[in-house]
Coordinates of all heavy atoms in Angstrom, one line a residue:
V21 N 23.6 -12.7 33.4 CA 23.4 -12.7 31.9 C 22.8 -14.0 31.4 O 23.4 -15.1 31.8 CB 24.8 -12.4 31.2 CG1 24.7 -12.3 29.8 CG2 25.3 -11.0 31.8
T22 N 21.8 -13.9 30.6 CA 21.3 -15.1 30.0 C 21.6 -15.0 28.5 O 21.4 -14.0 27.9 CB 19.8 -15.2 30.2 OG1 19.5 -15.0 31.6 CG2 19.2 -16.6 29.8
R23 N 22.1 -16.1 28.0 CA 22.5 -16.1 26.6 C 21.4 -16.9 25.7 O 21.1 -18.0 26.2 CB 23.9 -16.7 26.4 CG 25.0 -15.9 27.0 CD 26.2 -16.7 27.3 NE 26.7 -17.4 26.0 CZ 27.5 -16.8 25.2 NH1 27.9 -15.6 25.3 NH2 28.0 -17.5 24.1
Y24 N 20.9 -16.3 24.7 CA 20.0 -17.0 23.9 C 20.7 -17.2 22.5 O 21.1 -16.3 21.9 CB 18.7 -16.1 23.7 CG 17.9 -16.1 24.9 CD1 18.2 -15.1 25.8 CD2 16.9 -17.0 25.1 CE1 17.4 -14.9 27.0 CE2 16.1 -16.9 26.3 CZ 16.4 -15.9 27.2 OH 15.6 -15.9 28.3
E25 N 20.6 -18.4 22.0 CA 21.0 -18.7 20.6 C 19.9 -18.4 19.7 O 18.7 -18.9 19.8 CB 21.3 -20.2 20.5 CG 22.7 -20.6 21.1 CD 23.0 -21.9 20.8 OE1 22.3 -22.7 20.1 OE2 24.2 -22.4 21.2
L26 N 20.1 -17.4 18.8 CA 19.1 -16.9 17.9 C 18.9 -17.9 16.7 O 17.9 -17.9 16.0 CB 19.3 -15.5 17.4 CG 19.3 -14.4 18.6 CD1 19.6 -13.1 17.9 CD2 18.0 -14.4 19.3
G27 N 20.1 -18.6 16.4 CA 20.0 -19.5 15.3 C 21.3 -19.4 14.5 O 22.2 -18.7 14.8
P28 N 21.4 -20.3 13.5 CA 22.7 -20.4 12.7 C 22.9 -19.1 11.9 O 21.9 -18.6 11.4 CB 22.6 -21.6 11.9 CG 21.3 -22.3 12.3 CD 20.6 -21.4 13.2
L29 N 24.1 -18.7 11.8 CA 24.5 -17.5 11.0 C 23.8 -17.6 9.6 O 23.4 -16.7 9.0 CB 25.9 -17.4 10.9 CG 26.7 -16.7 12.1 CD1 28.1 -16.5 11.7 CD2 25.9 -15.3 12.3
A30 N 23.9 -18.9 9.1 CA 23.4 -19.1 7.7 C 22.0 -18.7 7.5 O 21.5 -18.5 6.4 CB 23.7 -20.6 7.3
E31 N 21.3 -18.7 8.7 CA 19.8 -18.4 8.5 C 19.5 -16.9 8.8 O 18.4 -16.5 8.8 CB 19.0 -19.2 9.5 CG 19.0 -20.7 9.1 CD 18.2 -21.6 10.1 OE1 17.6 -21.0 11.1 OE2 18.3 -22.8 10.1
M32 N 20.6 -16.1 9.1 CA 20.4 -14.8 9.3 C 20.3 -14.0 8.0 O 21.0 -14.4 7.1 CB 21.5 -14.2 10.2 CG 21.6 -14.9 11.6 SD 20.0 -14.7 12.5 CE 19.9 -16.2 13.4
P33 N 19.6 -12.9 8.1 CA 19.6 -12.0 6.9 C 21.0 -11.5 6.6 O 21.8 -11.3 7.6 CB 18.6 -11.0 7.2 CG 18.5 -10.9 8.6 CD 18.8 -12.3 9.1
T34 N 21.3 -11.3 5.3 CA 22.6 -10.7 5.0 C 22.5 -9.1 5.1 O 23.4 -8.4 5.3 CB 23.2 -11.2 3.7 OG1 22.3 -11.0 2.8 CG2 23.6 -12.6 3.8
E35 N 21.3 -8.7 4.7 CA 21.0 -7.2 4.8 C 19.5 -7.2 5.3 O 18.7 -7.9 4.9 CB 21.1 -6.5 3.5 CG 22.6 -6.5 2.9 CD 23.5 -5.6 3.7 OE1 23.1 -4.7 4.4 OE2 24.7 -6.0 3.7
G36 N 19.2 -6.2 6.1 CA 17.8 -6.0 6.5 C 17.7 -6.5 7.9 O 18.6 -6.6 8.8
A37 N 16.4 -6.8 8.3 CA 16.1 -7.0 9.7 C 15.3 -8.3 9.9 O 14.6 -8.7 8.9 CB 15.3 -5.9 10.3
R38 N 15.4 -8.9 11.0 CA 14.6 -10.0 11.3 C 14.2 -10.0 12.8 O 15.0 -9.5 13.7 CB 15.3 -11.3 11.1 CG 14.5 -12.5 11.3 CD 15.3 -13.8 10.9 NE 14.8 -14.9 11.6 CZ 15.3 -16.1 11.7 NH1 16.4 -16.3 11.0 NH2 14.8 -17.1 12.4
V39 N 12.9 -10.3 13.1 CA 12.4 -10.1 14.5 C 12.5 -11.5 15.2 O 12.1 -12.5 14.6 CB 11.0 -9.6 14.5 CG1 10.4 -9.6 16.0 CG2 10.9 -8.2 13.9
F40 N 13.0 -11.4 16.4 CA 13.0 -12.7 17.2 C 12.2 -12.4 18.5 O 12.2 -11.3 19.1 CB 14.4 -13.0 17.7 CG 15.3 -13.3 16.5 CD1 15.9 -12.3 15.8 CD2 15.4 -14.7 16.2 CE1 16.7 -12.8 14.7 CE2 16.2 -15.1 15.1 CZ 16.9 -14.1 14.4
Q41 N 11.5 -13.5 19.0 CA 10.9 -13.4 20.2 C 11.9 -14.0 21.2 O 12.2 -15.2 21.2 CB 9.6 -14.1 20.2 CG 8.8 -14.0 21.5 CD 8.0 -12.7 21.6 OE1 7.5 -12.1 20.6 NE2 7.8 -12.2 22.8
V42 N 12.3 -13.2 22.2 CA 13.3 -13.7 23.2 C 12.7 -13.4 24.6 O 12.5 -12.3 24.9 CB 14.7 -13.0 23.0 CG1 15.6 -13.6 24.2 CG2 15.2 -13.3 21.7
A43 N 12.4 -14.5 25.3 CA 11.8 -14.3 26.6 C 10.5 -13.5 26.4 O 9.7 -13.9 25.5 CB 12.7 -13.6 27.7
D44 N 10.3 -12.4 27.0 CA 9.0 -11.7 26.8 C 9.2 -10.6 25.9 O 8.4 -9.6 25.8 CB 8.4 -11.3 28.1 CG 9.3 -10.3 28.8 OD1 10.5 -10.3 28.5 OD2 8.9 -9.7 29.8
R45 N 10.3 -10.5 25.2 CA 10.6 -9.3 24.3 C 10.6 -9.7 22.9 O 10.9 -10.8 22.4 CB 12.0 -8.9 24.6 CG 12.2 -8.4 26.0 CD 13.7 -8.5 26.3 NE 13.9 -8.4 27.7 CZ 13.9 -7.2 28.4 NH1 14.0 -6.0 27.7 NH2 13.9 -7.1 29.7
R46 N 10.3 -8.6 22.0 CA 10.5 -8.7 20.6 C 11.7 -8.0 20.3 O 11.8 -6.7 20.6 CB 9.3 -8.0 19.9 CG 8.1 -8.9 19.5 CD 7.0 -8.1 19.0 NE 7.3 -7.3 17.8 CZ 7.1 -7.8 16.6 NH1 6.6 -9.0 16.4 NH2 7.5 -7.1 15.5
I47 N 12.6 -8.6 19.7 CA 13.9 -8.0 19.4 C 14.2 -8.0 17.9 O 14.0 -9.0 17.2 CB 15.1 -8.7 20.2 CG1 14.8 -8.5 21.7 CG2 16.4 -8.3 19.8 CD1 15.8 -9.2 22.6
A48 N 14.6 -6.9 17.4 CA 14.9 -6.8 16.0 C 16.4 -6.9 15.8 O 17.1 -6.2 16.5 CB 14.5 -5.4 15.4
V49 N 16.8 -7.8 15.0 CA 18.3 -8.0 14.6 C 18.5 -7.4 13.2 O 17.8 -7.8 12.3 CB 18.6 -9.5 14.7 CG1 20.1 -9.6 14.1 CG2 18.6 -10.0 16.2
F50 N 19.4 -6.5 13.1 CA 19.7 -5.8 11.9 C 21.0 -6.3 11.3 O 22.0 -6.4 12.1 CB 19.7 -4.2 12.1 CG 18.5 -3.7 12.6 CD1 18.3 -3.6 14.0 CD2 17.5 -3.2 11.7 CE1 17.1 -3.1 14.5 CE2 16.3 -2.7 12.2 CZ 16.0 -2.6 13.6
A51 N 21.0 -6.5 10.0 CA 22.3 -6.9 9.4 C 22.7 -5.9 8.4 O 22.0 -5.4 7.6 CB 22.1 -8.3 8.6
V52 N 24.0 -5.4 8.7 CA 24.5 -4.4 7.8 C 25.9 -4.6 7.5 O 26.8 -4.7 8.4 CB 24.4 -2.9 8.6 CG1 25.0 -1.8 7.6 CG2 23.0 -2.6 9.0
D53 N 26.3 -4.8 6.3 CA 27.6 -5.0 5.8 C 28.4 -6.1 6.7 O 29.5 -6.0 7.1 CB 28.5 -3.7 6.0 CG 28.0 -2.7 5.0 OD1 27.5 -3.1 4.0 OD2 28.2 -1.4 5.3
G54 N 27.7 -7.2 6.9 CA 28.2 -8.4 7.6 C 28.3 -8.3 9.1 O 28.8 -9.2 9.7
A55 N 27.8 -7.3 9.6 CA 27.7 -7.1 11.1 C 26.2 -7.1 11.6 O 25.3 -6.8 10.8 CB 28.4 -5.8 11.6
F56 N 26.0 -7.5 12.8 CA 24.7 -7.5 13.3 C 24.5 -6.7 14.5 O 25.4 -6.4 15.4 CB 24.4 -9.0 13.8 CG 24.4 -10.0 12.7 CD1 25.5 -10.8 12.5 CD2 23.3 -10.1 11.9 CE1 25.5 -11.7 11.4 CE2 23.3 -11.1 10.8 CZ 24.4 -11.8 10.6
Y57 N 23.3 -6.1 14.6 CA 23.0 -5.3 15.8 C 21.5 -5.6 16.2 O 20.7 -6.0 15.5 CB 22.9 -3.7 15.3 CG 24.2 -3.4 14.5 CD1 24.3 -3.6 13.2 CD2 25.3 -2.9 15.3 CE1 25.4 -3.2 12.5 CE2 26.4 -2.5 14.6 CZ 26.5 -2.7 13.3 OH 27.6 -2.4 12.6
A58 N 21.4 -5.5 17.6 CA 20.0 -5.9 18.1 C 19.4 -4.8 18.9 O 20.1 -4.2 19.9 CB 20.2 -7.2 18.9
L59 N 18.2 -4.5 18.7 CA 17.5 -3.5 19.4 C 16.1 -3.9 19.8 O 15.6 -4.8 19.1 CB 17.3 -2.2 18.5 CG 18.5 -1.4 18.0 CD1 18.0 -0.3 17.2 CD2 19.4 -1.0 19.1
D60 N 15.5 -3.4 20.8 CA 14.1 -3.7 21.0 C 13.3 -3.3 19.8 O 13.6 -2.2 19.2 CB 13.5 -2.9 22.2 CG 13.6 -3.7 23.5 OD1 13.6 -4.9 23.5 OD2 13.7 -3.0 24.6
D61 N 12.4 -4.2 19.4 CA 11.6 -3.9 18.2 C 10.4 -3.0 18.5 O 9.3 -3.3 18.1 CB 11.2 -5.2 17.5 CG 10.5 -4.9 16.2 OD1 10.9 -4.0 15.5 OD2 9.6 -5.6 15.8
R62 N 10.6 -1.9 19.2 CA 9.6 -1.1 19.5 C 10.1 0.4 19.6 O 11.0 0.6 20.5 CB 8.9 -1.5 20.8 CG 7.6 -0.7 21.1 CD 7.0 -1.2 22.4 NE 5.6 -0.8 22.6 CZ 5.3 0.5 23.0 NH1 6.3 1.4 23.2 NH2 4.0 0.8 23.1
C63 N 9.6 1.2 18.8 CA 10.1 2.6 18.8 C 9.7 3.2 20.2 O 8.7 2.9 20.8 CB 9.3 3.4 17.7 SG 9.8 5.1 17.7
S64 N 10.6 4.1 20.7 CA 10.4 4.7 22.0 C 9.4 5.9 21.9 O 9.0 6.4 23.0 CB 11.8 5.1 22.6 OG 12.2 6.2 21.8
H65 N 9.0 6.2 20.7 CA 8.1 7.3 20.6 C 6.7 6.9 20.7 O 5.8 7.5 21.5 CB 8.4 8.1 19.3 CG 7.4 9.2 19.0 ND1 6.5 9.2 17.9 CD2 7.1 10.3 19.7 CE1 5.8 10.2 18.0 NE2 6.1 11.0 19.0
A66 N 6.2 6.0 20.0 CA 4.9 5.4 20.0 C 5.0 4.0 19.6 O 6.0 3.4 19.8 CB 3.9 6.2 19.1
T67 N 4.0 3.3 19.1 CA 4.0 2.0 18.8 C 4.4 1.7 17.3 O 3.6 2.1 16.4 CB 2.7 1.3 19.1 OG1 2.4 1.5 20.4 CG2 2.8 -0.2 18.9
A68 N 5.6 1.2 17.1 CA 5.9 0.9 15.8 C 7.1 -0.1 15.8 O 7.8 -0.1 16.7 CB 6.4 2.2 15.0
S69 N 7.2 -1.0 14.8 CA 8.2 -1.9 14.7 C 9.5 -1.4 14.0 O 9.4 -0.9 12.8 CB 7.8 -3.2 14.0 OG 8.8 -3.9 13.5
L70 N 10.5 -1.3 14.7 CA 11.7 -0.7 14.0 C 12.3 -1.7 12.9 O 13.0 -1.2 12.0 CB 12.8 -0.4 15.1 CG 12.5 0.7 16.1 CD1 13.6 0.8 17.0 CD2 12.2 2.0 15.4
A71 N 12.0 -3.0 13.1 CA 12.4 -3.9 12.0 C 11.8 -3.6 10.7 O 12.3 -4.0 9.6 CB 12.1 -5.4 12.5
E72 N 10.7 -2.8 10.7 CA 10.0 -2.5 9.4 C 10.6 -1.1 8.9 O 10.1 -0.7 7.8 CB 8.5 -2.4 9.6 CG 7.9 -3.7 9.9 CD 6.4 -3.8 10.4 OE1 5.9 -2.6 10.2 OE2 6.0 -4.8 10.8
G73 N 11.5 -0.5 9.7 CA 12.0 0.7 9.2 C 13.2 0.6 8.2 O 13.6 -0.5 7.9
E74 N 13.5 1.7 7.7 CA 14.6 1.8 6.7 C 16.0 1.9 7.4 O 16.2 2.7 8.3 CB 14.4 3.0 5.8 CG 15.3 3.0 4.6 CD 14.5 3.3 3.4 OE1 13.3 3.1 3.3 OE2 15.1 3.8 2.5
I75 N 16.9 1.0 6.9 CA 18.2 1.1 7.5 C 19.1 2.0 6.7 O 19.1 2.0 5.5 CB 18.9 -0.4 7.4 CG1 18.1 -1.3 8.4 CG2 20.3 -0.4 8.0 CD1 18.4 -2.7 8.2
D76 N 19.9 2.8 7.4 CA 20.9 3.7 6.8 C 22.2 3.1 7.1 O 22.7 3.3 8.2 CB 20.8 5.1 7.4 CG 21.7 6.1 6.7 OD1 22.8 5.7 6.3 OD2 21.4 7.3 6.6
A77 N 22.7 2.4 6.2 CA 24.0 1.7 6.4 C 25.2 2.5 6.6 O 26.2 2.3 7.3 CB 24.3 0.7 5.2
D78 N 25.2 3.8 6.0 CA 26.3 4.7 6.2 C 26.3 5.3 7.6 O 27.4 5.4 8.2 CB 26.2 5.8 5.2 CG 26.4 5.3 3.7 OD1 27.2 4.4 3.6 OD2 25.7 5.9 2.8
E79 N 25.2 5.6 8.0 CA 25.0 6.2 9.4 C 24.9 5.3 10.5 O 24.8 5.6 11.7 CB 23.8 7.3 9.4 CG 24.0 8.4 8.4 CD 25.0 9.5 9.0 OE1 25.0 9.6 10.2 OE2 25.7 10.0 8.2
L80 N 24.6 4.0 10.0 CA 24.4 2.9 11.1 C 23.2 3.3 12.0 O 23.3 3.3 13.2 CB 25.6 2.5 11.8 CG 26.6 1.6 11.2 CD1 27.7 1.2 12.2 CD2 25.9 0.3 10.7
C81 N 22.1 3.6 11.2 CA 20.8 3.8 12.1 C 19.7 3.3 11.3 O 19.8 2.9 10.1 CB 20.7 5.3 12.5 SG 20.6 6.4 11.1
V82 N 18.6 3.2 12.1 CA 17.3 2.8 11.4 C 16.2 3.9 11.7 O 16.3 4.5 12.7 CB 16.8 1.4 12.1 CG1 16.6 1.5 13.6 CG2 15.6 0.9 11.4
E83 N 15.4 4.0 10.6 CA 14.4 5.1 10.7 C 13.1 4.5 11.0 O 12.7 3.6 10.3 CB 14.4 5.8 9.4 CG 13.4 7.0 9.4 CD 13.6 7.8 8.1 OE1 14.7 8.1 7.8 OE2 12.5 8.1 7.5
C84 N 12.4 4.9 12.0 CA 11.1 4.4 12.4 C 10.1 4.6 11.3 O 10.1 5.7 10.7 CB 10.6 5.1 13.7 SG 8.9 4.6 14.1
P85 N 9.4 3.5 10.9 CA 8.5 3.7 9.7 C 7.3 4.6 10.0 O 6.6 5.0 9.0 CB 8.1 2.2 9.5 CG 8.2 1.5 10.8 CD 9.3 2.3 11.4
R86 N 7.1 4.9 11.2 CA 5.8 5.6 11.6 C 6.0 7.2 11.5 O 5.3 7.8 10.7 CB 5.3 5.2 13.0 CG 3.9 5.7 13.2 CD 3.2 4.8 14.1 NE 1.9 5.4 14.5 CZ 1.3 5.2 15.7 NH1 1.8 4.3 16.5 NH2 0.2 5.8 16.0
H87 N 7.0 7.7 12.2 CA 7.1 9.2 12.2 C 8.6 9.5 11.8 O 9.0 10.7 12.0 CB 6.7 9.9 13.5 CG 5.4 9.5 14.1 ND1 5.2 8.7 15.1 CD2 4.2 9.7 13.5 CE1 3.9 8.5 15.4 NE2 3.3 9.1 14.4
G88 N 9.4 8.6 11.6 CA 10.7 9.0 11.1 C 11.8 9.2 12.1 O 12.9 9.7 11.6
A89 N 11.6 8.9 13.4 CA 12.8 9.0 14.3 C 13.8 8.0 13.9 O 13.6 6.9 13.4 CB 12.3 8.8 15.7
R90 N 15.1 8.5 14.1 CA 16.3 7.6 13.7 C 17.0 7.1 15.0 O 17.2 8.0 15.9 CB 17.2 8.4 12.8 CG 16.6 8.6 11.4 CD 17.3 9.7 10.7 NE 18.6 9.4 10.3 CZ 19.0 8.8 9.1 NH1 18.0 8.6 8.2 NH2 20.2 8.6 8.9
F91 N 17.3 5.9 15.0 CA 18.0 5.3 16.2 C 19.3 4.7 15.8 O 19.4 4.1 14.7 CB 17.1 4.2 16.8 CG 15.8 4.6 17.4 CD1 14.7 4.7 16.6 CD2 15.8 5.1 18.7 CE1 13.5 5.3 17.2 CE2 14.6 5.6 19.3 CZ 13.4 5.6 18.6
D92 N 20.3 4.9 16.7 CA 21.6 4.4 16.3 C 21.5 2.8 16.6 O 21.1 2.4 17.6 CB 22.6 4.9 17.4 CG 24.0 4.7 17.0 OD1 24.3 3.5 17.0 OD2 24.7 5.6 16.8
L93 N 22.0 2.1 15.5 CA 21.9 0.7 15.6 C 22.9 0.1 16.6 O 22.6 -1.0 17.3 CB 22.3 0.1 14.3 CG 21.3 0.2 13.2 CD1 21.8 -0.4 11.8 CD2 19.9 -0.5 13.5
R94 N 24.0 0.8 16.9 CA 24.9 0.3 18.0 C 24.5 0.5 19.4 O 24.6 -0.4 20.2 CB 26.3 1.0 17.7 CG 26.9 0.5 16.4 CD 27.9 1.6 16.0 NE 27.2 2.8 15.6 CZ 27.9 3.8 15.0 NH1 29.1 3.7 14.8 NH2 27.2 4.9 14.8
S95 N 23.9 1.6 19.7 CA 23.6 1.9 21.1 C 22.1 2.0 21.4 O 21.6 2.0 22.5 CB 24.2 3.3 21.4 OG 23.5 4.3 20.6
G96 N 21.3 2.2 20.3 CA 19.8 2.4 20.5 C 19.5 3.8 20.8 O 18.3 4.2 21.0
A97 N 20.5 4.8 20.8 CA 20.2 6.1 21.1 C 19.3 6.7 20.0 O 19.5 6.4 18.8 CB 21.6 6.9 21.1
A98 N 18.5 7.6 20.6 CA 17.6 8.4 19.6 C 18.4 9.5 19.0 O 19.0 10.3 19.7 CB 16.4 8.9 20.3
R99 N 18.5 9.5 17.7 CA 19.4 10.5 17.0 C 18.5 11.7 16.5 O 19.0 12.7 16.3 CB 20.1 9.9 15.7 CG 21.1 8.9 16.2 CD 22.4 9.3 15.5 NE 23.3 8.2 15.3 CZ 23.8 7.9 14.2 NH1 23.5 8.5 13.1 NH2 24.6 6.8 14.2
T100 N 17.2 11.5 16.2 CA 16.4 12.6 15.7 C 15.0 12.5 16.4 O 14.5 11.4 16.7 CB 16.2 12.5 14.2 OG1 15.6 11.4 13.8 CG2 17.6 12.7 13.4
A101 N 14.4 13.6 16.4 CA 13.0 13.7 16.9 C 12.1 13.0 15.9 O 12.6 12.8 14.7 CB 12.6 15.2 17.0
P102 N 10.9 12.6 16.2 CA 10.2 12.9 17.5 C 10.6 11.9 18.6 O 9.8 12.0 19.7 CB 8.8 12.8 17.1 CG 8.7 11.7 16.0 CD 10.0 11.9 15.3
A103 N 11.5 11.1 18.6 CA 11.9 10.2 19.6 C 13.0 10.9 20.4 O 13.9 11.4 19.8 CB 12.3 8.9 19.2
F104 N 13.0 10.8 21.7 CA 14.0 11.3 22.5 C 14.6 10.3 23.5 O 15.8 10.4 23.9 CB 13.5 12.6 23.4 CG 13.0 13.7 22.5 CD1 11.7 13.8 22.2 CD2 14.0 14.6 22.0 CE1 11.3 14.9 21.4 CE2 13.6 15.6 21.1 CZ 12.2 15.7 20.9
Q105 N 13.8 9.3 23.8 CA 14.3 8.2 24.7 C 15.0 7.2 23.7 O 14.6 6.9 22.6 CB 13.2 7.5 25.4 CG 12.4 8.4 26.3 CD 13.3 9.0 27.4 OE1 14.1 8.3 27.9 NE2 13.2 10.3 27.6
P106 N 16.1 6.5 24.3 CA 16.7 5.4 23.5 C 15.8 4.2 23.5 O 14.9 4.1 24.3 CB 18.0 5.1 24.3 CG 17.7 5.6 25.7 CD 16.7 6.8 25.6
V107 N 16.1 3.3 22.6 CA 15.6 2.0 22.7 C 16.7 1.1 23.2 O 17.9 1.3 23.1 CB 15.0 1.4 21.4 CG1 13.8 2.2 21.0 CG2 16.1 1.5 20.3
R108 N 16.4 0.0 23.8 CA 17.4 -0.9 24.4 C 18.1 -1.6 23.3 O 17.5 -2.1 22.3 CB 16.7 -1.8 25.3 CG 17.7 -2.7 26.2 CD 17.0 -3.4 27.3 NE 17.9 -4.3 27.8 CZ 17.6 -5.1 28.8 NH1 16.4 -5.3 29.3 NH2 18.5 -6.0 29.3
S109 N 19.4 -1.6 23.6 CA 20.3 -2.4 22.6 C 20.8 -3.7 23.4 O 20.9 -3.7 24.6 CB 21.3 -1.6 22.0 OG 22.3 -1.3 23.0
Y110 N 21.2 -4.7 22.6 CA 21.6 -5.9 23.2 C 23.0 -6.4 22.6 O 23.1 -6.3 21.4 CB 20.7 -7.0 23.0 CG 19.3 -6.7 23.6 CD1 18.4 -6.0 22.8 CD2 18.9 -7.1 24.8 CE1 17.1 -5.8 23.4 CE2 17.8 -6.8 25.4 CZ 16.8 -6.1 24.6 OH 15.5 -5.8 25.1
P111 N 23.9 -6.8 23.4 CA 25.1 -7.4 22.8 C 24.8 -8.7 22.1 O 24.1 -9.5 22.5 CB 26.0 -7.7 24.0 CG 25.3 -7.2 25.3 CD 23.9 -6.9 24.9
L112 N 25.5 -8.8 21.0 CA 25.4 -10.1 20.1 C 26.8 -10.6 20.0 O 27.9 -9.9 20.0 CB 24.9 -9.8 18.8 CG 23.5 -9.3 18.6 CD1 23.2 -8.9 17.2 CD2 22.5 -10.4 19.0
S113 N 26.9 -11.9 19.9 CA 28.2 -12.5 19.7 C 28.0 -13.7 18.7 O 26.8 -14.2 18.5 CB 28.9 -12.9 21.0 OG 28.1 -13.8 21.7
I114 N 29.1 -14.3 18.3 CA 28.9 -15.5 17.4 C 29.7 -16.6 18.1 O 30.9 -16.4 18.5 CB 29.5 -15.2 16.1 CG1 28.7 -14.2 15.3 CG2 29.6 -16.4 15.2 CD1 29.3 -13.7 14.1
S115 N 29.0 -17.7 18.3 CA 29.6 -18.9 19.0 C 29.3 -20.2 18.3 O 28.0 -20.4 18.1 CB 29.1 -18.8 20.4 OG 29.5 -20.0 21.1
D116 N 30.2 -20.9 17.8 CA 30.0 -22.2 17.1 C 28.9 -22.0 16.0 O 28.0 -22.8 15.8 CB 29.3 -23.2 18.2 CG 30.4 -23.8 19.1 OD1 31.5 -23.7 18.7 OD2 30.0 -24.2 20.1
G117 N 29.1 -20.9 15.2 CA 28.3 -20.7 14.1 C 26.9 -20.2 14.4 O 26.0 -20.1 13.5
Q118 N 26.6 -19.9 15.6 CA 25.3 -19.4 16.1 C 25.4 -17.9 16.4 O 26.4 -17.5 17.1 CB 24.8 -20.2 17.3 CG 24.7 -21.7 17.2 CD 23.3 -22.0 16.6 OE1 22.4 -21.4 16.9 NE2 23.3 -23.1 15.8
L119 N 24.3 -17.3 16.2 CA 24.3 -15.8 16.6 C 23.6 -15.9 18.0 O 22.6 -16.5 18.2 CB 23.4 -15.0 15.6 CG 23.4 -13.5 15.9 CD1 24.9 -12.9 15.8 CD2 22.5 -12.8 15.0
V120 N 24.4 -15.3 19.0 CA 23.9 -15.3 20.4 C 23.7 -13.9 20.9 O 24.5 -13.0 20.7 CB 25.1 -16.0 21.1 CG1 24.7 -16.0 22.7 CG2 25.4 -17.4 20.7
L121 N 22.5 -13.8 21.6 CA 22.2 -12.6 22.2 C 22.2 -12.7 23.7 O 21.9 -13.7 24.3 CB 20.8 -12.2 21.7 CG 20.1 -10.9 22.4 CD1 19.4 -10.2 21.2 CD2 19.1 -11.3 23.4
E122 N 22.7 -11.6 24.4 CA 22.8 -11.6 25.8 C 21.7 -10.8 26.4 O 21.5 -9.6 25.9 CB 24.2 -11.1 26.2 CG 25.2 -12.1 25.9 CD 26.7 -11.5 26.3 OE1 26.7 -10.4 27.0 OE2 27.6 -12.1 25.9
L123 N 21.0 -11.3 27.3 CA 19.9 -10.6 28.0 C 20.5 -10.4 29.4 O 20.8 -11.3 30.2 CB 18.7 -11.3 28.1 CG 17.6 -11.0 27.2 CD1 16.3 -11.8 27.7 CD2 17.3 -9.6 27.1
I124 N 20.6 -9.1 29.8 CA 21.2 -8.8 31.2 C 20.0 -8.6 32.2 O 19.1 -7.9 31.8 CB 22.1 -7.7 31.1 CG1 23.3 -8.0 30.2 CG2 22.6 -7.4 32.5 CD1 24.1 -6.9 29.8
Ligands
FES4 S1 6.4 5.8 16.5 FE1 8.5 5.9 15.9 S2 8.8 8.0 15.5 FE2 6.8 7.9 16.2

């Protein structure tokens, strides 16, 4: 497991998404009600940035801005068509005031 410090919590969005380049990946970090979730920033259906999608805070999912597939923010599971494959999700933790992402 490799741990990457994404930055101080104070610099993270309180609601919405921010994209990070980690190693060779683009990872979208979503903030919802004080919690953070990390997914690959690429829809599994075609090419689209999930960070640009709409967040549903009640259902804890994000809707792809291109064709509207919805993904679970916790697991990356595809909840609705036209996507059927999940997107990768990443564990996040907080250490010394930093948001830390684990790459396995
Ligand atoms: S690119 Fe995301 S649903 Fe088609």
Side-chain angles (χ1 to χ4, degrees):
V21 176
T22 311
R23 292 160 57 85
Y24 289 90
E25 287 187 354
L26 298 179
L29 276 186
E31 290 179 11
M32 298 300 149
T34 50
E35 296 293 332
R38 184 173 155 189
V39 176
F40 293 87
Q41 186 76 34
V42 178
D44 59 347
R45 298 158 193 274
R46 269 174 61 93
I47 294 176
V49 171
F50 300 91
V52 182
D53 293 335
F56 296 99
Y57 307 90
L59 301 178
D60 266 337
D61 186 34
R62 187 178 194 284
C63 183
S64 64
H65 175 242
T67 304
S69 163
L70 293 180
E72 293 169 13
E74 191 131 333
I75 295 171
D76 182 332
D78 295 327
E79 296 285 324
L80 279 183
C81 59
V82 60
E83 183 172 313
C84 175
R86 192 152 168 207
H87 308 112
R90 289 159 69 93
F91 294 91
D92 191 300
L93 289 175
R94 293 157 292 189
S95 65
R99 290 236 201 123
T100 62
F104 298 97
Q105 300 299 318
V107 293
R108 188 167 170 186
S109 69
Y110 300 88
L112 291 171
S113 58
I114 293 168
S115 170
D116 287 336
Q118 299 273 327
L119 189 62
V120 176
L121 179 136
E122 291 179 8
L123 261 191
I124 298 166

